[in-house]
Amino acid sequence: MSSPSREAILASASRLFGDRGYRSVTVRDIASDAGVSAALVMKLFGSKEKLFAAAQPNERLLGELNVPREELGAAMVFRVLMRREREMQEPWAMLPFTIQDSPDPVATRAETQARYLGNIAALIGDTTPNRHHAAVVVSLMIGFGESVRTLGLFDDWDFDEVVAHYGALVQAQIDAFAAP
């Protein structure tokens, strides 16, 4: 079920949880930010925990990557930089914090790991049992997201230079696994 109210609630929840953490955000905070009642939030999501899970960064950030395999690294890096330019949240940078701050960090870690590894593995064709190649790509992207957003390490770089340089690092890991 998708509705403008549901999308507004998810957007508000994602931003507030990302900015302040799970414990510091109330359902009333999210409802107020989304311009809806707290009762509607509870009706649509059932609990703060379920809303937190629904608002987490997820594989949607990979869903629209419709580029040739040899351009995936640059495309993934480009997206991180575009989100920074547009002052949007960075799912890669938020992952560690959302896991640590979740109501059940162990379960959230397992679910998030399965989603991200599964989606990156599908994207690059990694069929190895432990998804080692996908794990390296996920690690590179989490590190890049943190570097861009938290540390500002690429603030003085030219946009295209970052895409070319870091994109090549990510692409090298994608290429290291020859998809079947």
PDB file of all heavy atoms in Angstrom, residues 70-99:
ATOM      1  N   GLU A  70      30.373  -2.597 -16.524  1.00  0.00           N
ATOM      2  CA  GLU A  70      31.666  -1.906 -16.458  1.00  0.00           C
ATOM      3  C   GLU A  70      31.552  -0.459 -15.981  1.00  0.00           C
ATOM      4  O   GLU A  70      32.563   0.200 -15.763  1.00  0.00           O
ATOM      5  CB  GLU A  70      32.400  -1.970 -17.800  1.00  0.00           C
ATOM      6  CG  GLU A  70      31.689  -1.321 -18.955  1.00  0.00           C
ATOM      7  CD  GLU A  70      30.728  -2.250 -19.698  1.00  0.00           C
ATOM      8  OE1 GLU A  70      30.459  -3.383 -19.234  1.00  0.00           O
ATOM      9  OE2 GLU A  70      30.216  -1.818 -20.746  1.00  0.00           O
ATOM     10  N   GLU A  71      30.324   0.023 -15.759  1.00  0.00           N
ATOM     11  CA  GLU A  71      30.124   1.388 -15.268  1.00  0.00           C
ATOM     12  C   GLU A  71      29.500   1.429 -13.869  1.00  0.00           C
ATOM     13  O   GLU A  71      29.184   2.498 -13.355  1.00  0.00           O
ATOM     14  CB  GLU A  71      29.227   2.151 -16.243  1.00  0.00           C
ATOM     15  CG  GLU A  71      29.836   2.326 -17.623  1.00  0.00           C
ATOM     16  CD  GLU A  71      28.871   2.977 -18.602  1.00  0.00           C
ATOM     17  OE1 GLU A  71      27.866   3.578 -18.167  1.00  0.00           O
ATOM     18  OE2 GLU A  71      29.128   2.881 -19.812  1.00  0.00           O
ATOM     19  N   LEU A  72      29.319   0.267 -13.256  1.00  0.00           N
ATOM     20  CA  LEU A  72      28.649   0.213 -11.952  1.00  0.00           C
ATOM     21  C   LEU A  72      29.386   0.994 -10.871  1.00  0.00           C
ATOM     22  O   LEU A  72      28.762   1.713 -10.093  1.00  0.00           O
ATOM     23  CB  LEU A  72      28.466  -1.237 -11.500  1.00  0.00           C
ATOM     24  CG  LEU A  72      27.352  -2.016 -12.180  1.00  0.00           C
ATOM     25  CD1 LEU A  72      27.407  -3.484 -11.762  1.00  0.00           C
ATOM     26  CD2 LEU A  72      26.003  -1.405 -11.839  1.00  0.00           C
ATOM     27  N   GLY A  73      30.713   0.834 -10.791  1.00  0.00           N
ATOM     28  CA  GLY A  73      31.477   1.520  -9.755  1.00  0.00           C
ATOM     29  C   GLY A  73      31.290   3.020  -9.822  1.00  0.00           C
ATOM     30  O   GLY A  73      30.983   3.678  -8.817  1.00  0.00           O
ATOM     31  N   ALA A  74      31.451   3.587 -11.006  1.00  0.00           N
ATOM     32  CA  ALA A  74      31.284   5.032 -11.182  1.00  0.00           C
ATOM     33  C   ALA A  74      29.849   5.455 -10.895  1.00  0.00           C
ATOM     34  O   ALA A  74      29.612   6.498 -10.269  1.00  0.00           O
ATOM     35  CB  ALA A  74      31.685   5.437 -12.605  1.00  0.00           C
ATOM     36  N   ALA A  75      28.879   4.647 -11.307  1.00  0.00           N
ATOM     37  CA  ALA A  75      27.473   4.990 -11.074  1.00  0.00           C
ATOM     38  C   ALA A  75      27.152   5.006  -9.585  1.00  0.00           C
ATOM     39  O   ALA A  75      26.422   5.889  -9.112  1.00  0.00           O
ATOM     40  CB  ALA A  75      26.566   4.004 -11.806  1.00  0.00           C
ATOM     41  N   MET A  76      27.682   4.060  -8.842  1.00  0.00           N
ATOM     42  CA  MET A  76      27.424   4.018  -7.398  1.00  0.00           C
ATOM     43  C   MET A  76      28.055   5.220  -6.691  1.00  0.00           C
ATOM     44  O   MET A  76      27.434   5.842  -5.824  1.00  0.00           O
ATOM     45  CB  MET A  76      27.936   2.699  -6.821  1.00  0.00           C
ATOM     46  CG  MET A  76      27.120   1.502  -7.298  1.00  0.00           C
ATOM     47  SD  MET A  76      27.849  -0.089  -6.877  1.00  0.00           S
ATOM     48  CE  MET A  76      27.525  -0.125  -5.117  1.00  0.00           C
ATOM     49  N   VAL A  77      29.264   5.571  -7.073  1.00  0.00           N
ATOM     50  CA  VAL A  77      29.958   6.721  -6.486  1.00  0.00           C
ATOM     51  C   VAL A  77      29.233   8.013  -6.872  1.00  0.00           C
ATOM     52  O   VAL A  77      29.024   8.901  -6.036  1.00  0.00           O
ATOM     53  CB  VAL A  77      31.433   6.738  -6.922  1.00  0.00           C
ATOM     54  CG1 VAL A  77      32.097   8.059  -6.595  1.00  0.00           C
ATOM     55  CG2 VAL A  77      32.178   5.568  -6.276  1.00  0.00           C
ATOM     56  N   PHE A  78      28.826   8.109  -8.128  1.00  0.00           N
ATOM     57  CA  PHE A  78      28.095   9.275  -8.616  1.00  0.00           C
ATOM     58  C   PHE A  78      26.855   9.519  -7.764  1.00  0.00           C
ATOM     59  O   PHE A  78      26.569  10.655  -7.371  1.00  0.00           O
ATOM     60  CB  PHE A  78      27.712   9.059 -10.085  1.00  0.00           C
ATOM     61  CG  PHE A  78      26.908  10.176 -10.677  1.00  0.00           C
ATOM     62  CD1 PHE A  78      27.535  11.286 -11.221  1.00  0.00           C
ATOM     63  CD2 PHE A  78      25.520  10.111 -10.700  1.00  0.00           C
ATOM     64  CE1 PHE A  78      26.786  12.323 -11.772  1.00  0.00           C
ATOM     65  CE2 PHE A  78      24.770  11.139 -11.242  1.00  0.00           C
ATOM     66  CZ  PHE A  78      25.401  12.248 -11.782  1.00  0.00           C
ATOM     67  N   ARG A  79      26.126   8.458  -7.438  1.00  0.00           N
ATOM     68  CA  ARG A  79      24.904   8.599  -6.638  1.00  0.00           C
ATOM     69  C   ARG A  79      25.182   9.143  -5.247  1.00  0.00           C
ATOM     70  O   ARG A  79      24.418   9.954  -4.734  1.00  0.00           O
ATOM     71  CB  ARG A  79      24.182   7.271  -6.533  1.00  0.00           C
ATOM     72  CG  ARG A  79      23.463   6.935  -7.805  1.00  0.00           C
ATOM     73  CD  ARG A  79      22.824   5.590  -7.706  1.00  0.00           C
ATOM     74  NE  ARG A  79      21.912   5.480  -8.812  1.00  0.00           N
ATOM     75  CZ  ARG A  79      20.666   5.087  -8.708  1.00  0.00           C
ATOM     76  NH1 ARG A  79      20.188   4.726  -7.551  1.00  0.00           N
ATOM     77  NH2 ARG A  79      19.897   5.036  -9.762  1.00  0.00           N
ATOM     78  N   VAL A  80      26.256   8.686  -4.625  1.00  0.00           N
ATOM     79  CA  VAL A  80      26.608   9.207  -3.295  1.00  0.00           C
ATOM     80  C   VAL A  80      26.873  10.707  -3.393  1.00  0.00           C
ATOM     81  O   VAL A  80      26.381  11.501  -2.580  1.00  0.00           O
ATOM     82  CB  VAL A  80      27.832   8.468  -2.710  1.00  0.00           C
ATOM     83  CG1 VAL A  80      28.346   9.155  -1.450  1.00  0.00           C
ATOM     84  CG2 VAL A  80      27.495   7.008  -2.434  1.00  0.00           C
ATOM     85  N   LEU A  81      27.631  11.106  -4.394  1.00  0.00           N
ATOM     86  CA  LEU A  81      27.968  12.518  -4.550  1.00  0.00           C
ATOM     87  C   LEU A  81      26.734  13.356  -4.902  1.00  0.00           C
ATOM     88  O   LEU A  81      26.602  14.490  -4.432  1.00  0.00           O
ATOM     89  CB  LEU A  81      29.053  12.692  -5.609  1.00  0.00           C
ATOM     90  CG  LEU A  81      30.404  12.072  -5.249  1.00  0.00           C
ATOM     91  CD1 LEU A  81      31.365  12.165  -6.418  1.00  0.00           C
ATOM     92  CD2 LEU A  81      30.994  12.716  -4.005  1.00  0.00           C
ATOM     93  N   MET A  82      25.832  12.814  -5.705  1.00  0.00           N
ATOM     94  CA  MET A  82      24.611  13.549  -6.040  1.00  0.00           C
ATOM     95  C   MET A  82      23.732  13.733  -4.804  1.00  0.00           C
ATOM     96  O   MET A  82      23.137  14.800  -4.633  1.00  0.00           O
ATOM     97  CB  MET A  82      23.828  12.834  -7.149  1.00  0.00           C
ATOM     98  CG  MET A  82      24.444  12.991  -8.518  1.00  0.00           C
ATOM     99  SD  MET A  82      24.718  14.718  -9.014  1.00  0.00           S
ATOM    100  CE  MET A  82      23.049  15.337  -9.036  1.00  0.00           C
ATOM    101  N   ARG A  83      23.657  12.721  -3.953  1.00  0.00           N
ATOM    102  CA  ARG A  83      22.872  12.877  -2.722  1.00  0.00           C
ATOM    103  C   ARG A  83      23.504  13.954  -1.838  1.00  0.00           C
ATOM    104  O   ARG A  83      22.789  14.729  -1.200  1.00  0.00           O
ATOM    105  CB  ARG A  83      22.743  11.546  -1.980  1.00  0.00           C
ATOM    106  CG  ARG A  83      21.750  10.596  -2.660  1.00  0.00           C
ATOM    107  CD  ARG A  83      21.449   9.382  -1.811  1.00  0.00           C
ATOM    108  NE  ARG A  83      22.556   8.462  -1.704  1.00  0.00           N
ATOM    109  CZ  ARG A  83      22.785   7.438  -2.537  1.00  0.00           C
ATOM    110  NH1 ARG A  83      21.980   7.208  -3.549  1.00  0.00           N
ATOM    111  NH2 ARG A  83      23.822   6.648  -2.352  1.00  0.00           N
ATOM    112  N   ARG A  84      24.825  14.026  -1.812  1.00  0.00           N
ATOM    113  CA  ARG A  84      25.492  15.080  -1.038  1.00  0.00           C
ATOM    114  C   ARG A  84      25.157  16.449  -1.630  1.00  0.00           C
ATOM    115  O   ARG A  84      24.788  17.372  -0.912  1.00  0.00           O
ATOM    116  CB  ARG A  84      27.007  14.879  -1.037  1.00  0.00           C
ATOM    117  CG  ARG A  84      27.734  16.004  -0.280  1.00  0.00           C
ATOM    118  CD  ARG A  84      29.212  15.977  -0.474  1.00  0.00           C
ATOM    119  NE  ARG A  84      29.546  16.301  -1.857  1.00  0.00           N
ATOM    120  CZ  ARG A  84      30.768  16.264  -2.355  1.00  0.00           C
ATOM    121  NH1 ARG A  84      31.782  15.899  -1.593  1.00  0.00           N
ATOM    122  NH2 ARG A  84      30.998  16.574  -3.601  1.00  0.00           N
ATOM    123  N   GLU A  85      25.251  16.572  -2.952  1.00  0.00           N
ATOM    124  CA  GLU A  85      24.972  17.843  -3.614  1.00  0.00           C
ATOM    125  C   GLU A  85      23.541  18.306  -3.362  1.00  0.00           C
ATOM    126  O   GLU A  85      23.287  19.491  -3.229  1.00  0.00           O
ATOM    127  CB  GLU A  85      25.188  17.711  -5.127  1.00  0.00           C
ATOM    128  CG  GLU A  85      26.613  17.420  -5.537  1.00  0.00           C
ATOM    129  CD  GLU A  85      27.537  18.599  -5.345  1.00  0.00           C
ATOM    130  OE1 GLU A  85      27.139  19.721  -5.699  1.00  0.00           O
ATOM    131  OE2 GLU A  85      28.661  18.389  -4.845  1.00  0.00           O
ATOM    132  N   ARG A  86      22.623  17.363  -3.292  1.00  0.00           N
ATOM    133  CA  ARG A  86      21.207  17.683  -3.103  1.00  0.00           C
ATOM    134  C   ARG A  86      20.813  17.707  -1.625  1.00  0.00           C
ATOM    135  O   ARG A  86      19.643  17.829  -1.300  1.00  0.00           O
ATOM    136  CB  ARG A  86      20.346  16.673  -3.856  1.00  0.00           C
ATOM    137  CG  ARG A  86      20.538  16.766  -5.346  1.00  0.00           C
ATOM    138  CD  ARG A  86      19.759  15.721  -6.076  1.00  0.00           C
ATOM    139  NE  ARG A  86      19.986  15.833  -7.503  1.00  0.00           N
ATOM    140  CZ  ARG A  86      19.644  14.918  -8.375  1.00  0.00           C
ATOM    141  NH1 ARG A  86      19.044  13.806  -7.986  1.00  0.00           N
ATOM    142  NH2 ARG A  86      19.890  15.091  -9.659  1.00  0.00           N
ATOM    143  N   GLU A  87      21.799  17.530  -0.753  1.00  0.00           N
ATOM    144  CA  GLU A  87      21.589  17.517   0.697  1.00  0.00           C
ATOM    145  C   GLU A  87      20.567  16.472   1.110  1.00  0.00           C
ATOM    146  O   GLU A  87      19.750  16.689   2.010  1.00  0.00           O
ATOM    147  CB  GLU A  87      21.219  18.907   1.200  1.00  0.00           C
ATOM    148  CG  GLU A  87      22.325  19.921   0.963  1.00  0.00           C
ATOM    149  CD  GLU A  87      21.999  21.296   1.494  1.00  0.00           C
ATOM    150  OE1 GLU A  87      20.918  21.498   2.101  1.00  0.00           O
ATOM    151  OE2 GLU A  87      22.831  22.192   1.311  1.00  0.00           O
ATOM    152  N   MET A  88      20.640  15.317   0.455  1.00  0.00           N
ATOM    153  CA  MET A  88      19.775  14.186   0.794  1.00  0.00           C
ATOM    154  C   MET A  88      20.527  13.291   1.767  1.00  0.00           C
ATOM    155  O   MET A  88      21.756  13.354   1.862  1.00  0.00           O
ATOM    156  CB  MET A  88      19.433  13.404  -0.479  1.00  0.00           C
ATOM    157  CG  MET A  88      18.643  14.209  -1.494  1.00  0.00           C
ATOM    158  SD  MET A  88      18.536  13.385  -3.106  1.00  0.00           S
ATOM    159  CE  MET A  88      17.527  11.960  -2.684  1.00  0.00           C
ATOM    160  N   GLN A  89      19.795  12.438   2.467  1.00  0.00           N
ATOM    161  CA  GLN A  89      20.441  11.495   3.370  1.00  0.00           C
ATOM    162  C   GLN A  89      21.292  10.519   2.575  1.00  0.00           C
ATOM    163  O   GLN A  89      21.009  10.222   1.416  1.00  0.00           O
ATOM    164  CB  GLN A  89      19.409  10.715   4.158  1.00  0.00           C
ATOM    165  CG  GLN A  89      18.751  11.532   5.216  1.00  0.00           C
ATOM    166  CD  GLN A  89      17.845  10.675   6.063  1.00  0.00           C
ATOM    167  OE1 GLN A  89      17.412   9.602   5.678  1.00  0.00           O
ATOM    168  NE2 GLN A  89      17.542  11.161   7.246  1.00  0.00           N
ATOM    169  N   GLU A  90      22.332  10.005   3.221  1.00  0.00           N
ATOM    170  CA  GLU A  90      23.209   9.037   2.584  1.00  0.00           C
ATOM    171  C   GLU A  90      23.030   7.674   3.246  1.00  0.00           C
ATOM    172  O   GLU A  90      23.533   7.439   4.342  1.00  0.00           O
ATOM    173  CB  GLU A  90      24.674   9.472   2.675  1.00  0.00           C
ATOM    174  CG  GLU A  90      25.621   8.505   2.016  1.00  0.00           C
ATOM    175  CD  GLU A  90      25.146   8.122   0.614  1.00  0.00           C
ATOM    176  OE1 GLU A  90      24.988   9.020  -0.229  1.00  0.00           O
ATOM    177  OE2 GLU A  90      24.911   6.921   0.390  1.00  0.00           O
ATOM    178  N   PRO A  91      22.312   6.765   2.582  1.00  0.00           N
ATOM    179  CA  PRO A  91      22.087   5.440   3.177  1.00  0.00           C
ATOM    180  C   PRO A  91      23.374   4.698   3.530  1.00  0.00           C
ATOM    181  O   PRO A  91      23.436   4.035   4.560  1.00  0.00           O
ATOM    182  CB  PRO A  91      21.303   4.694   2.094  1.00  0.00           C
ATOM    183  CG  PRO A  91      20.652   5.773   1.295  1.00  0.00           C
ATOM    184  CD  PRO A  91      21.611   6.920   1.316  1.00  0.00           C
ATOM    185  N   TRP A  92      24.397   4.798   2.693  1.00  0.00           N
ATOM    186  CA  TRP A  92      25.650   4.086   2.999  1.00  0.00           C
ATOM    187  C   TRP A  92      26.243   4.594   4.310  1.00  0.00           C
ATOM    188  O   TRP A  92      26.736   3.812   5.110  1.00  0.00           O
ATOM    189  CB  TRP A  92      26.663   4.246   1.873  1.00  0.00           C
ATOM    190  CG  TRP A  92      26.288   3.566   0.601  1.00  0.00           C
ATOM    191  CD1 TRP A  92      25.937   4.166  -0.581  1.00  0.00           C
ATOM    192  CD2 TRP A  92      26.234   2.155   0.346  1.00  0.00           C
ATOM    193  NE1 TRP A  92      25.665   3.215  -1.527  1.00  0.00           N
ATOM    194  CE2 TRP A  92      25.839   1.966  -0.988  1.00  0.00           C
ATOM    195  CE3 TRP A  92      26.469   1.032   1.135  1.00  0.00           C
ATOM    196  CZ2 TRP A  92      25.688   0.713  -1.565  1.00  0.00           C
ATOM    197  CZ3 TRP A  92      26.317  -0.224   0.566  1.00  0.00           C
ATOM    198  CH2 TRP A  92      25.932  -0.374  -0.773  1.00  0.00           C
ATOM    199  N   ALA A  93      26.206   5.893   4.531  1.00  0.00           N
ATOM    200  CA  ALA A  93      26.771   6.461   5.764  1.00  0.00           C
ATOM    201  C   ALA A  93      25.905   6.149   6.977  1.00  0.00           C
ATOM    202  O   ALA A  93      26.409   6.047   8.090  1.00  0.00           O
ATOM    203  CB  ALA A  93      26.943   7.975   5.617  1.00  0.00           C
ATOM    204  N   MET A  94      24.604   5.992   6.752  1.00  0.00           N
ATOM    205  CA  MET A  94      23.686   5.757   7.865  1.00  0.00           C
ATOM    206  C   MET A  94      23.682   4.316   8.353  1.00  0.00           C
ATOM    207  O   MET A  94      23.304   4.054   9.496  1.00  0.00           O
ATOM    208  CB  MET A  94      22.263   6.124   7.440  1.00  0.00           C
ATOM    209  CG  MET A  94      22.050   7.607   7.229  1.00  0.00           C
ATOM    210  SD  MET A  94      20.421   7.969   6.527  1.00  0.00           S
ATOM    211  CE  MET A  94      19.332   7.166   7.698  1.00  0.00           C
ATOM    212  N   LEU A  95      24.096   3.384   7.532  1.00  0.00           N
ATOM    213  CA  LEU A  95      23.993   1.966   7.893  1.00  0.00           C
ATOM    214  C   LEU A  95      24.561   1.623   9.270  1.00  0.00           C
ATOM    215  O   LEU A  95      23.860   1.028  10.080  1.00  0.00           O
ATOM    216  CB  LEU A  95      24.647   1.089   6.833  1.00  0.00           C
ATOM    217  CG  LEU A  95      23.790   0.757   5.627  1.00  0.00           C
ATOM    218  CD1 LEU A  95      24.604  -0.032   4.611  1.00  0.00           C
ATOM    219  CD2 LEU A  95      22.555   0.002   6.017  1.00  0.00           C
ATOM    220  N   PRO A  96      25.798   1.962   9.559  1.00  0.00           N
ATOM    221  CA  PRO A  96      26.342   1.571  10.875  1.00  0.00           C
ATOM    222  C   PRO A  96      25.548   2.147  12.042  1.00  0.00           C
ATOM    223  O   PRO A  96      25.319   1.466  13.041  1.00  0.00           O
ATOM    224  CB  PRO A  96      27.770   2.128  10.870  1.00  0.00           C
ATOM    225  CG  PRO A  96      28.105   2.310   9.432  1.00  0.00           C
ATOM    226  CD  PRO A  96      26.814   2.636   8.736  1.00  0.00           C
ATOM    227  N   PHE A  97      25.110   3.388  11.907  1.00  0.00           N
ATOM    228  CA  PHE A  97      24.390   4.035  13.000  1.00  0.00           C
ATOM    229  C   PHE A  97      22.998   3.466  13.180  1.00  0.00           C
ATOM    230  O   PHE A  97      22.528   3.311  14.302  1.00  0.00           O
ATOM    231  CB  PHE A  97      24.329   5.547  12.770  1.00  0.00           C
ATOM    232  CG  PHE A  97      25.691   6.143  12.596  1.00  0.00           C
ATOM    233  CD1 PHE A  97      26.098   6.616  11.361  1.00  0.00           C
ATOM    234  CD2 PHE A  97      26.581   6.203  13.645  1.00  0.00           C
ATOM    235  CE1 PHE A  97      27.363   7.149  11.190  1.00  0.00           C
ATOM    236  CE2 PHE A  97      27.847   6.729  13.493  1.00  0.00           C
ATOM    237  CZ  PHE A  97      28.237   7.211  12.255  1.00  0.00           C
ATOM    238  N   THR A  98      22.323   3.180  12.086  1.00  0.00           N
ATOM    239  CA  THR A  98      20.971   2.648  12.209  1.00  0.00           C
ATOM    240  C   THR A  98      20.985   1.251  12.800  1.00  0.00           C
ATOM    241  O   THR A  98      20.060   0.882  13.528  1.00  0.00           O
ATOM    242  CB  THR A  98      20.228   2.659  10.865  1.00  0.00           C
ATOM    243  OG1 THR A  98      20.979   1.940   9.908  1.00  0.00           O
ATOM    244  CG2 THR A  98      19.999   4.066  10.374  1.00  0.00           C
ATOM    245  N   ILE A  99      22.016   0.504  12.515  1.00  0.00           N
ATOM    246  CA  ILE A  99      22.117  -0.835  13.108  1.00  0.00           C
ATOM    247  C   ILE A  99      22.379  -0.718  14.608  1.00  0.00           C
ATOM    248  O   ILE A  99      21.695  -1.332  15.424  1.00  0.00           O
ATOM    249  CB  ILE A  99      23.203  -1.669  12.410  1.00  0.00           C
ATOM    250  CG1 ILE A  99      22.751  -2.012  10.993  1.00  0.00           C
ATOM    251  CG2 ILE A  99      23.523  -2.934  13.208  1.00  0.00           C
ATOM    252  CD1 ILE A  99      23.839  -2.589  10.107  1.00  0.00           C
TER     253      ILE A  99
END
